[in-house]
Amino acid sequence: MDASLNIAIAAEFELCERIVEALEESELNIAKVTVVEIYPFEEEQGIRFKNKSVTQCSSKEMDWGELDYLFFAGNIEQVSHIVEAAEQGCVVIDMKGICSTLSDVPVVVPSINEENLIELRQRNIVSLPDPQVSQLALAIHPVLQTSHLTKIFTTSLLPASYQNIETVTKLAGQTARLLNGIPLEEGETRLAFDVYPQSTLSLSQQFQKIFPQLEAVVFHAVQAPVFYGMAQKVSVLSDYEIDFQPQENEFVQYHEHFITPVMTAEIESEISHVKLHISRLSAVENGIEFWTVADEQRFNLAHLSVKLLEAIYHQGY
């Protein structure tokens, strides 16, 4: 490959760092990486790629037409940047699925439905689904190879980092205050030592764009007082008994013992790669259930996005 790829990243500082780490581990030869500060960085926050400082600029300074690819992890209010970049010929990886409901934007999870990248020709935009969707998709994909599933239920326990880094900071601050007997401000949403439901709007629609044959999928989501690492309890049912023999692949690792978000962080601090960790796999009547955990920042967003970029590049887009 020629070292000619010009890549930009538009995300929060912490996610930018994780994307750059994943890019350094990829086989792509990259000429230039630029950070687009759609979320302002602190003065001391700088990104380095292969030991060199990365140029940081605002969206107003960007010439989107000079880019080959853009990793975009903004919100719906910033979607105009995606449209502008795509119209100028840049292929946009919509990392959080904000364009996923558009009929002419493919929703793709690496290793599952990469053939749908052919639809990139329509708008130069591809959506990686919400981390809740990609985590479930990777977990059930091996089951679908041998079984016909009729119902899928999943409950996601969302960490503070699933929202943004401000939520992580808020959870840390609230935890410290409450442990020291300092009450929260009146009307302040309580994150520490509490849970509450979150919306799952559009998740089923994203999932069905990946697996059109599956209609009976139910998502539940609960905000949990955890800093990093998303966990899911999954139950899948069939009309018949499921005989599933788990086999690990480049994305998934199975464990005989119970794995939690904290344990996942400890495991991955000692190895050079990240994975989706599955444990507590057991049979139920005409089905199976299991527990999955992944670092939604490093794995579901950064790692999967870079793997998606590799697939896009190798298919010639």
Side-chain angles (χ1 to χ4, degrees):
M1 300 180 193
D2 295 329
S4 58
L5 298 184
N6 188 351
I7 296 172
I9 305 170
E12 290 185 320
F13 171 74
E14 288 75 12
L15 183 53
C16 283
E17 285 191 314
R18 287 162 174 77
I19 296 169
V20 166
E21 290 172 2
L23 285 172
E24 289 180 337
E25 295 174 1
S26 78
E27 298 179 355
L28 296 170
N29 289 323
I30 301 167
K32 184 180 180 181
V33 174
T34 303
V35 167
V36 185
E37 291 188 42
I38 56 173
Y39 300 106
F41 290 6
E42 300 294 336
E43 185 175 346
E44 70 278 5
Q45 291 179 325
I47 301 294
R48 299 183 68 82
F49 177 68
K50 295 184 177 180
N51 295 320
K52 295 182 179 180
S53 295
V54 169
T55 300
Q56 299 170 205
C57 60
S58 70
S59 58
K60 295 180 180 179
E61 299 174 293
M62 283 301 301
D63 182 352
W64 304 108
E66 293 184 352
L67 299 175
D68 296 301
Y69 304 104
L70 168 65
F71 291 101
F72 185 86
N75 55 42
I76 190 67
E77 288 77 20
Q78 299 162 323
V79 73
S80 60
H81 301 318
I82 292 181
V83 175
E84 186 177 357
E87 288 179 346
Q88 294 187 37
C90 173
V91 173
V92 181
I93 298 175
D94 165 30
M95 295 177 61
K96 293 190 174 182
I98 62 174
C99 295
S100 62
T101 57
L102 300 176
S103 60
D104 53 358
V105 172
V107 177
V108 177
V109 177
S111 79
I112 295 181
N113 63 329
E114 293 175 3
E115 66 277 4
N116 289 359
L117 289 173
I118 193 172
E119 298 175 35
L120 261 174
R121 297 173 179 174
Q122 299 185 61
R123 296 191 64 163
N124 280 343
I125 304 170
V126 58
S127 282
L128 187 73
D130 184 282
Q132 294 183 61
V133 176
S134 58
Q135 186 158 320
L136 178 63
L138 287 168
I140 72 158
H141 186 238
V143 185
L144 285 169
Q145 306 309 300
T146 58
S147 305
H148 173 70
L149 303 182
T150 55
K151 294 181 181 179
I152 302 170
F153 303 91
T154 183
T155 299
S156 302
L157 302 179
L158 307 178
S161 57
Y162 175 84
Q163 305 301 330
N164 50 47
I165 192 61
E166 290 183 3
T167 308
V168 175
T169 303
K170 185 176 181 180
L171 174 58
Q174 287 187 356
T175 303
R177 284 154 56 192
L178 291 172
L179 286 174
N180 285 282
I182 303 172
L184 303 184
E185 298 177 7
E186 185 177 352
E188 182 178 1
T189 300
R190 177 166 174 162
L191 298 172
F193 310 110
D194 207 353
V195 296
Y196 56 89
Q198 286 281 17
S199 171
T200 56
L201 187 66
S202 85
L203 297 186
S204 294
Q205 184 177 352
Q206 292 181 27
F207 191 83
Q208 286 169 17
K209 290 183 79 170
I210 303 164
F211 300 110
Q213 74 276 27
L214 294 176
E215 296 182 358
V217 56
V218 178
F219 284 89
H220 297 290
V222 178
Q223 187 70 47
V226 174
F227 291 100
Y228 294 94
M230 183 170 67
Q232 289 184 325
K233 176 66 176 183
V234 181
S235 298
V236 298
L237 302 178
S238 175
D239 290 330
Y240 309 98
E241 182 180 348
I242 295 178
D243 181 20
F244 174 61
Q245 302 299 322
Q247 294 184 341
E248 296 183 354
N249 57 47
E250 100 175 90
F251 296 103
V252 176
Q253 182 175 359
Y254 292 89
H255 301 265
E256 293 185 0
H257 57 284
F258 185 48
I259 298 293
T260 68
V262 172
M263 294 169 68
T264 296
E266 293 172 346
I267 292 170
E268 294 182 348
S269 67
E270 301 176 358
I271 57 179
S272 60
H273 58 272
V274 294
K275 287 198 173 187
L276 170 61
H277 301 273
I278 301 180
S279 62
R280 291 287 175 91
L281 178 65
S282 61
V284 296
E285 184 177 359
N286 288 349
I288 57 174
E289 61 181 21
F290 49 86
W291 171 262
T292 76
V293 181
D295 184 325
E296 88 293 339
Q297 296 286 306
R298 295 182 65 211
F299 179 78
N300 297 76
L301 292 176
H303 184 70
L304 291 186
S305 291
V306 171
K307 287 298 179 181
L308 183 54
L309 171 58
E310 290 177 352
I312 292 168
Y313 179 77
H314 288 304
Q315 290 195 26
Y317 299 110

